[in-house]
Amino acid sequence: MYQIKSRIWIEGDKGVFLGEGRIKILKAIELEGSLSKAAKSLGMSYKKAWNLVDSINKNASIPVVITNTGGSGGGGTKITEYGLKMISAFENINKNCWDFLDQQLKELQL
Amino acid sequence: MYQIKSRIWIEGDKGVFLGEGRIKILKAIELEGSLSKAAKSLGMSYKKAWNLVDSINKNASIPVVITNTGGSGGGGTKITEYGLKMISAFENINKNCWDFLDQQLKELQL
DNA sequence: GGGCGTTGTTTCCTGCAAGATATAACGAAA
DNA sequence: TTTCGTTATATCTTGCAGGAAACAACGCCC
């Protein structure tokens, strides 16, 4: 009858590091191999996608994405090993949080 | 170095029932005894405050606020016993959630 | 009945987030 | 050195959420 929902995100010194939207674009990049294709596949403007990735880079202590501009095929963007770890870590925490909140709500019997 | 943050909210059939903003206005109403004064005390427009309270009423199974229009002093808005319980329940869950997430992040050592 | 200070509602206006558009820079390969 | 598709960045435009303001309705009290 009542449902509890949540959004979580991780901040660094210079703003948001990871959140649901950033995870989404990272996964699309992993799939597509380029930021522009990833944005297109999500129906998102390139600018918005770039801003998300930019904020990730600004706050990451270890590189999450490697961008290559120029070259054959124009370049591209890859997710690092560390980035892949961060994605699964975030999704894991997020799921745990949902479970935790459902449990909390159930205990209350509103 | 990294900080994890969250927002939680509770939804009913017709939209959001409780969230951080709604809790804030409810507490201000409890303090001021009227919606218009509560809005003013928070620097919030009356319309926004009214919309928040309206959505609470639309989704509450048991009344959270009692409004009186007209009368000496023009009327006012009061929080019910149930409303007070909901406020503390929400704040309690919210705090538990923060603690839980801090713990989750610590376990990861990003 | 008139005055008062609320709640409830409509209309208008505006600032800003977000999209659309344009363009420079890049570097490998032919 | 020309081509190509990308990253990176600036500028312009626009939709709409949210504020401002105005006003009706209400009911107690004098």
Side-chain angles (χ1 to χ4, degrees), chain B residues 35-37 46 50 74 77:
Chain B
L35 178 54
S36 64
K37 279 181 194 159
Y46 176 81
W50 187 86
T77 302

Side-chain angles (χ1 to χ4, degrees), chain A residues 46-67:
Chain A
Y46 175 81
K47 190 175 97 171
K48 180 170 181 182
W50 186 87
N51 281 334
L52 290 174
V53 171
D54 186 53
S55 70
I56 294 171
N57 286 331
K58 281 205 175 80
N59 286 286
S61 52
I62 300 174
V64 167
V65 299
I66 301 291
T67 64

Side-chain angles (χ1 to χ4, degrees), chain A residues 1-2, chain B residues 12 17 54-65 82:
Chain A
M1 139 182 203
Y2 285 133
Chain B
F17 172 45
D54 186 52
S55 71
I56 294 170
N57 286 331
K58 281 205 176 79
N59 286 287
S61 52
I62 301 175
V64 166
V65 298
Y82 177 73

Side-chain angles (χ1 to χ4, degrees), chain B residues 23-97:
Chain B
I23 292 295
K24 211 168 167 187
I25 192 73
L26 286 179
K27 292 176 89 172
I29 289 171
E30 186 192 359
L31 202 64
E32 303 283 345
S34 99
L35 178 54
S36 64
K37 279 181 194 159
K40 193 168 296 178
S41 80
L42 295 178
M44 180 186 296
S45 70
Y46 176 81
K47 190 174 97 170
K48 179 170 181 181
W50 187 86
N51 281 334
L52 290 175
V53 171
D54 186 52
S55 71
I56 294 170
N57 286 331
K58 281 205 176 79
N59 286 287
S61 52
I62 301 175
V64 166
V65 298
I66 302 291
T67 65
N68 282 301
T69 130
S72 77
T77 302
K78 301 284 181 210
I79 311 292
T80 64
E81 272 304 311
Y82 177 73
L84 293 175
K85 267 185 203 153
M86 297 301 296
I87 292 174
S88 70
F90 182 91
E91 292 190 318
N92 191 43
I93 292 182
N94 205 14
K95 184 179 177 321
N96 287 347
C97 183

Side-chain angles (χ1 to χ4, degrees), chain A residues 35-37 46 50 67 74 77:
Chain A
L35 178 54
S36 64
K37 280 181 193 160
Y46 175 81
W50 186 87
T67 64
T77 303

Side-chain angles (χ1 to χ4, degrees), chain B residues 91-105:
Chain B
E91 292 190 318
N92 191 43
I93 292 182
N94 205 14
K95 184 179 177 321
N96 287 347
C97 183
W98 290 341
D99 292 345
F100 177 78
L101 288 174
D102 285 342
Q103 184 61 28
Q104 290 271 305
L105 188 65

